[in-house]
Amino acid sequence: MASTYAAARRPRAAGRWRRHAWSYAFLIPGILLFGGFSLWPLIASWWYAFFDWDGVGAPTDWVGLDNFREVLGSSDFWDAFWHSFLFSFAALVIELPLALVLAILLNNAWLRGRNVYRLALFLPVVTTTAIVGIVFAVLLDPIRGVVNTALSDLGLIDSSINFLGDTTTALPTLIGIDIWKGFGITLIYWLAALQTIPKDIHEAALIDGANSRQSLRYVVLPMLVPLAIVILLLVFQRSLNTFDLVQATTQGGPNYATDVVPTYIYRFAFDPFLQAPRYGFACAAGAVFGLMTLLIALLQGPLLRGRYKAGAL
Amino acid sequence: MSRTRRTLRWAAAVTAVALTATGCNLVGSGEDDSGNDDASGENVTITVALVPDPPGASEFYRAQFDQFEEENPGITVEVVENPSDQQLGAVELMFQQGDPPDVFRAQADGFDRMYERGWVHSLEEFVTDEFIERFPEGTMNPSTSGLHRGGELYTLPLVSGKWDVRVLVYNEAVLRENGYDGPPETWGEMEEMARTITANGGGQVFGYAPASGKAVAVEMLAQTAAPYSVVQDGIDFRTGQPATASPGMVEAVELHRRMQADGVMVPGWESWDGARAFTEFAAGTMAMYPTAPWHIAEIRKLNPEIEMGIAPLPVPDDGRGAYTPTKQSFQPIWSMSSETEHPEEAWKVMDFLASEDFHRAYYEQFGSFTALESAWADQARENPDQAAILSAAEETMRVVPNPMLLSEGGAEILRARAQRPELKHTDAAVDAIINNKPFLPIAQGLDQQLQAFLDETLAELSGTATSDDITFPDWDPLENYTPEQ
């Protein structure tokens, strides 16, 4: 019975393949590029992680899991991981809801000049991070910086705040700058999500007697949840991989207080103060970080979907 | 779907695959376009990989190579520039890809990295007596030049060994306004002056800063108190034993810790890069700081009117314990690729880079003491800043034993040590200063780790290296060392 069924299906499947073969042919360039520039480096970095390798010649000095053991046993790595996580956590609890509130406001047709506001909020996203770093270093300078001068003139501080030079303030300061810089793109995500909600549903709710708040609470927000999960993952991933801002401002200092995993990896792979680069070790650190990021992302999805189905969201 | 449409789709798909497979080379012929047509005898292109450092070096090198090309028709110099912190990696990548530069800049340990990989061409076949005589007498001795490996010349210098001196720059006007008529001579005086100046500065002028976020001033000052090997590697070469916890080293950190805890130093230094210190000094924000001499020209460029004084580094209150080291005559800079197809032409470029004309031009442009002293010595003595640097170099530098040059075993041990940067005091010292932690117990912990590292390394290198390779019991850090000692 089963073989008769399979035999009956075979010609149909073969026909479908023939019918769509040209589509697969069009996919080949994309697959080749993806394989060459995404998949191969990913696999290669995993492979190199098993070698003591300085990047010259083929890796030959197999060290097994030694690099992974060293990464997992390194307090510096875990400190950097914690800092990276804080970037993401802050983005989730501050940037994400704040951007949603502003997106709801900016999505209202009655708001005058809303395109100007959108543009203003989006400008930091397209500003080069190195420029952002320089500008904030000048603004936050403890001696001549505008921020300290303003706070002092307003009588809010007695002595200058060493925003980027103090181990207690440097990380929160960078997180704040990162949120400011990434805010615009999160806002655009939310605006795009809001615009997927049909106006009819919203209007129906209003006709049924719901006020704006109730419409938001019981119509708009529940319909946003599936997209919110995607937005949450995107924001989380972006913040977790923050590198350029840290490199442009503190290079992980002072005293590694702002060291994040990407700067940690960069230091071992490219730091000129080391006698020779430790690509193998840097690859192991990258692999561990990538795995943990993947794990967190995989956990987030089902967790949020579960809460959504249970009605908690 | 019509047959024609299907055929067109297939053709498009096949074209796309073909383009991808050939690297989508729509803009070039794919032929070697290096302009290297040596076979026809017309022109040879020599690629030089260098660092556009200090500021303005890009234009300077291009102008110099233009002049070289005029004098050497048939040789074109193509410059590849990399930021200083990426130069080594970029050159390594060029070798890896089979397209190495003919001549490249690799400094200090970076040169040894290249040498160990067999990427450096010996220069012995090109060197003449006239070439050697350009350099100050005795500086090209193979055992002390710093440019020879295995007795052969492999690399050429740019700056003089005297340029390794470290000095204290100070703002004479600020010192005068605070009642001081000269720079501090001891650490105690420096601390007292820095405290007074900061207290009187109203949050706009500060007494001192340790030069960068890595607190490099600690290292500079410590070299007046403890043998250079303690400061650079944590090992006292008189005994071959770890000595980070030696009193001079610890006090150099404690001095900075006290000043940091009391808010004496310029706020924000903790995240400064290498250029920020001279910018702040030129702006009048700080009264003094220890520095490498190249900062001085940068300060003058930024603020020609500043009343800047240059003095030898202050020494510990109980007297000098050591001097700034002269480990070798020169730092390696210019090397020829072992894979160059045009060694004769590459040597012409290197010969030009070691010519008196080039060294004079470099000195006049950047104020650096170049390796050929005859190119600048007379002018330098007439320039107050440079005369002060020269005077400090003569007064505060001494020849020291350098295991990297003296024995293969010593070089192996130090290379292994360099692979363990966490054993050096730098990060621990910054941590102690910023977080106000006593440094002695930290230093003692580092010494324990260093001892374990030495035991392990010597066991691994058994037969090729012993502790004798890094032990010089007769060395007096207050005197010049001679290799016979």
Side-chain angles (χ1 to χ4, degrees), chain B residues 2 32 66 81 91 101 121 129 176 204 259 269 300 309 337 358 391 394 401 404 420 426 448 481:
Chain B
S2 75
D32 180 9
D66 287 347
E81 292 186 356
V91 172
H121 197 297
D129 289 345
R176 201 166 49 242
Q204 296 299 309
M259 290 201 281
W269 68 267
R300 284 281 179 224
S337 162
F358 177 83
S391 167
E394 279 154 15
M404 288 292 281
R420 299 280 306 277
T426 313
Q448 283 176 2
Y481 176 80

Side-chain angles (χ1 to χ4, degrees), chain A residues 1-307:
Chain A
M1 178 71 182
S3 62
T4 312
Y5 175 72
R9 281 184 61 83
R10 207 171 295 126
R12 284 171 60 197
R16 203 160 52 230
W17 166 252
R18 264 199 304 277
R19 208 163 45 248
H20 297 298
W22 61 270
S23 311
Y24 293 110
F26 272 117
L27 282 177
I28 289 173
I31 290 168
L32 286 178
L33 291 172
F34 174 74
F37 294 105
S38 295
L39 205 58
W40 164 244
L42 187 75
I43 295 166
S45 74
W46 271 91
W47 176 243
Y48 297 148
F50 292 97
F51 292 87
D52 181 12
W53 184 48
D54 64 4
V56 175
T60 52
D61 192 1
W62 175 269
V63 292
L65 294 171
D66 283 2
N67 284 332
F68 290 95
R69 281 195 203 96
E70 192 179 340
V71 169
L72 294 171
S74 162
S75 59
D76 289 347
F77 173 80
W78 290 112
D79 285 347
F81 185 83
W82 175 242
H83 298 154
S84 287
F85 179 79
L86 286 178
F87 268 91
S88 285
F89 183 73
L92 294 190
V93 299
I94 300 170
E95 181 181 322
L96 208 61
L98 204 60
L100 174 61
V101 171
L102 269 177
I104 290 168
L105 278 175
L106 292 175
N107 198 41
N108 281 314
W110 50 261
L111 186 68
R112 282 188 169 192
R114 56 187 180 147
N115 284 336
V116 176
Y117 301 139
R118 286 178 190 180
L119 179 67
L121 289 164
F122 193 72
L123 271 180
V125 177
V126 293
T127 307
T128 311
T129 310
I131 301 296
V132 169
I134 293 167
V135 168
F136 271 95
V138 171
L139 290 175
L140 299 172
D141 186 272
I143 305 167
R144 292 177 291 272
V146 174
V147 175
N148 269 305
T149 307
L151 291 173
S152 182
D153 289 349
L154 291 169
L156 296 174
I157 54 171
D158 294 327
S159 59
S160 292
I161 300 172
N162 191 357
F163 286 104
L164 292 172
D166 190 311
T167 50
T168 56
T169 55
L171 187 64
T173 304
L174 284 188
I175 288 173
I177 299 171
D178 187 57
I179 288 174
W180 171 81
K181 182 155 178 19
F183 190 83
I185 195 74
T186 312
L187 182 80
I188 296 295
Y189 293 153
W190 281 128
L191 279 170
L194 284 167
Q195 283 163 18
T196 62
I197 299 172
K199 280 183 182 164
D200 307 357
I201 298 176
H202 187 63
E203 284 165 5
L206 293 178
I207 290 167
D208 286 346
N211 59 29
S212 296
R213 197 167 54 85
Q214 287 168 326
S215 167
L216 180 70
R217 169 71 183 85
Y218 297 108
V219 177
V220 176
L221 291 182
M223 293 191 75
L224 276 181
V225 170
L227 283 168
I229 293 168
V230 176
I231 295 170
L232 184 144
L233 284 174
L234 288 172
V235 171
F236 186 84
Q237 292 291 340
R238 191 206 71 222
S239 303
L240 201 63
N241 286 299
T242 299
F243 169 71
D244 42 7
L245 178 65
V246 179
Q247 194 66 17
T249 48
T250 62
Q251 298 91 47
N255 194 31
Y256 303 110
T258 59
D259 200 23
V260 287
V261 177
T263 53
Y264 176 89
I265 292 169
Y266 178 85
R267 202 165 52 249
F268 280 95
F270 304 110
D271 192 329
F273 292 105
L274 290 174
Q275 179 78 0
R278 295 187 63 198
Y279 285 116
F281 179 78
C283 285
V288 170
F289 185 54
L291 261 186
M292 298 190 71
T293 308
L294 185 70
L295 197 68
I296 294 169
L298 288 175
L299 283 175
Q300 274 178 342
L303 204 71
L304 290 167
R305 267 183 227 109
R307 284 175 62 80

Side-chain angles (χ1 to χ4, degrees), chain B residues 332-349:
Chain B
I333 291 281
W334 304 114
S335 300
M336 185 192 296
S337 162
S338 59
E339 295 176 22
T340 180
E341 292 174 8
H342 310 287
E344 295 291 338
E345 289 80 1
W347 169 252
K348 280 188 180 172
V349 174

Side-chain angles (χ1 to χ4, degrees), chain B residues 84 87 130 182 196 198 243 270 294 307-308 372 388 397 427 446:
Chain B
S84 52
Q87 164 78 350
E130 179 276 321
T196 304
T198 298
E270 302 91 338
W294 67 271
E307 291 185 58
M308 174 171 57
L372 303 186
M397 296 185 81
D427 287 344
L446 280 175

